[in-house]
Amino acid sequence: MTNKIYRVAIVGLGRMGSTIDDERPAGFPAVSIAAACAASPRLEVVAGADIDPDKRAAFQARWGVTALYGDYLEMIRQEQPDLVAICTRGVLHAEMIVAVAEANVPMIFCEKAIACSMEEADAALAAVGSRNIPFNTGVLRRFGRSYHVARRMIADGEIGEPRAGVHYAGSNLLHGHIHSLDTLSFLLGDPPVVSVLGELLPRDLVIENNRLDKDPNAIYQVLFANGVEATTAPGGTWEFEVIGSLGSIRVCNNGDSLHLRKAKSEKERIFLDAPAPAVEAHSTTQSCLEDILDAHETGRPTLGNIQITHHLTEACLAVAESHRQQKRITLPLENRSLYIFHV
Ligand SMILES: NC(=O)c1ccc[n+]([C@@H]2O[C@H](COP(=O)([O-])OP(=O)(O)OC[C@H]3O[C@@H](n4cnc5c(N)ncnc54)[C@H](O)[C@@H]3O)[C@@H](O)[C@H]2O)c1
């Protein structure tokens, strides 16, 4: 790690770019990109772009940033930032990722999900992957300490051989399940997704012209290459559980704590509560951005790099394709133009 302070430019000065922390209780770790940069000794916001002049004015008043633009590409040309954070809504993500990569920005953060179709995701993969640009998205649990502790315990064999993963909470597909699929994948060590069985809700929803203009609620079962079957239970608060041959670990209450259970013995498979480490709250947005810096400085891949993000976007869209075809879909997804709008 160097002492360099990296210059950040934000595209989209709305909630995730600037103001979402107002929706959290006082003292909650930084969520917005601007707040996470303010919390990090390694990051400084030097510019912002938004098509809405009121958002630009509010951003200047709040963060004291004066280099503000209506055109984000003009901002990049003028300010030459080290890192661009794309915080616009979903329909713009892929085209902005491509344009920012082609503008030779050294590091990119983009809000999730990166694309509405695999055609869009393929373009983002080509633009970022071919330039080897350190890249992460806003699937923030991947950067949360409780999830890191759980992943380490699973990898170390604390629950035996992982057999199944469960996500809890009802959710829409590209806005919400891009998170749930990403977190299940992360907890299991990011094995490739082999196949997906999914249903959109309501079950009689028809996908006309290979396109949905509203992000649908969804449920799924996913088979990972390590043999783990993962599913989503559409109820409760956001939690994740991985069940192994000799125990289970659950990340409770959206990352607040861990619940570990271990088999009494190899022969007597009664699962008993076991002590799990307490995990301190921290800014997952800050960790996500600093992971990009560490990758830039060391040459290692980012935790949520474009290849992983592209693959999990494919798994997410395969849920809708499974609903459309009424059958299990094996990746890669053939239907690259299936389009699902999301915010
Ligand atoms: N990771 C998370 O936990 C999390 C939380 C909230 C939102 N999000 C994601 O963040 C993204 C943004 O959501 P939001 O709630 O902040 O939206 P928002 O509407 O509050 O902000 C988006 C901003 O983008 C601006 N914009 C639109 N077109 C633009 C353009 N061409 N150039 C520059 N600016 C433009 C809009 O004027 C608006 O100010 C979404 O993809 C959402 O899914 C993620």
Side-chain angles (χ1 to χ4, degrees):
M1 197 174 105
T2 68
N3 292 327
K4 184 171 160 74
I5 297 174
Y6 290 93
R7 302 170 71 252
V8 177
I10 303 176
V11 184
L13 307 175
R15 291 171 64 242
M16 198 56 204
S18 175
T19 63
I20 196 171
D21 299 277
D22 294 348
E23 302 166 31
R24 299 288 187 273
F28 196 88
V31 180
S32 71
I33 296 295
C37 291
S40 172
R42 304 170 68 192
L43 293 161
E44 180 190 11
V45 178
V46 296
D50 201 296
I51 50 171
D52 181 343
D54 291 344
K55 293 283 174 61
R56 299 199 294 270
F59 192 79
Q60 177 165 357
R62 188 178 182 119
W63 301 104
V65 173
T66 53
L68 295 165
Y69 296 79
D71 176 345
Y72 74 102
L73 292 175
E74 179 61 18
M75 171 181 75
I76 292 170
R77 276 192 292 276
Q78 294 291 335
E79 306 295 333
Q80 297 290 308
D82 299 309
L83 190 156
V84 165
I86 301 167
C87 299
T88 50
R89 295 195 174 190
V91 286
L92 290 172
H93 289 171
E95 75 171 65
M96 285 186 165
I97 290 169
V98 172
V100 172
E102 287 177 349
N104 292 319
V105 171
M107 294 175 269
I108 302 176
F109 166 88
C110 182
E111 258 313 330
K112 35 52 63 173
I114 58 163
C116 299
S117 70
M118 284 316 294
E119 280 172 352
E120 286 188 357
D122 291 345
L125 173 64
V128 175
S130 64
R131 294 173 176 83
N132 216 7
I133 299 171
F135 176 93
N136 274 331
T137 70
V139 283
L140 296 172
R141 291 173 189 82
R142 177 175 285 273
F143 305 94
R145 283 188 195 138
S146 49
Y147 301 92
H148 279 244
V149 171
R151 173 167 144 136
R152 164 64 42 215
M153 290 167 87
I154 294 163
D156 288 348
E158 293 268 355
I159 59 166
E161 282 294 317
R163 300 271 199 250
V166 187
H167 158 254
Y168 298 86
S171 176
N172 52 9
L173 185 57
L174 277 158
H175 188 66
H177 281 312
I178 195 72
H179 282 290
S180 70
L181 284 164
D182 183 83
T183 307
L184 287 166
S185 171
F186 178 72
L187 289 172
L188 296 168
D190 289 315
V193 171
V194 175
S195 64
V196 175
L197 182 65
E199 282 185 305
L200 304 182
L201 304 174
R203 286 192 168 87
D204 60 359
L205 184 69
V206 176
I207 302 179
E208 282 174 8
N209 303 320
N210 214 24
R211 180 183 175 102
L212 282 179
D213 287 308
K214 184 173 178 294
D215 194 11
N217 274 21
I219 53 176
Y220 59 74
Q221 291 176 337
V222 169
L223 172 64
F224 286 96
N226 61 355
V228 174
E229 301 273 1
T231 192
T232 179
T237 191
W238 275 70
E239 300 197 345
F240 293 84
E241 186 164 28
V242 176
I243 302 154
S245 53
L246 294 173
S248 68
I249 185 149
R250 183 159 172 150
V251 186
C252 302
N253 290 318
N254 216 359
D256 275 1
S257 61
L258 297 169
H259 183 195
L260 178 66
R261 297 170 78 208
K262 295 180 88 156
K264 211 168 165 189
S265 70
E266 293 237 356
K267 284 202 173 127
E268 209 177 343
R269 298 205 179 182
I270 296 166
F271 286 6
L272 303 174
D273 284 357
V279 186
E280 273 179 36
H282 70 113
S283 166
T284 51
T285 310
Q286 184 182 341
S287 298
C288 171
L289 296 174
E290 291 181 351
D291 179 66
I292 300 177
L293 305 185
D294 290 342
H296 172 76
E297 290 179 1
T298 64
R300 69 151 169 82
T302 48
L303 270 181
N305 58 69
I306 189 70
Q307 288 80 10
I308 286 177
T309 302
H310 175 269
H311 183 64
L312 293 169
T313 304
E314 192 156 11
C316 209
L317 285 162
V319 174
E321 181 65 0
S322 173
H323 174 91
R324 201 179 72 84
Q325 291 197 34
Q326 304 267 294
K327 68 170 197 184
R328 177 171 283 274
I329 301 296
T330 299
L331 298 192
L333 184 61
E334 271 177 37
N335 184 357
R336 310 302 278 181
S337 57
L338 174 62
Y339 186 100
I340 314 264
F341 169 89
H342 58 96
V343 291

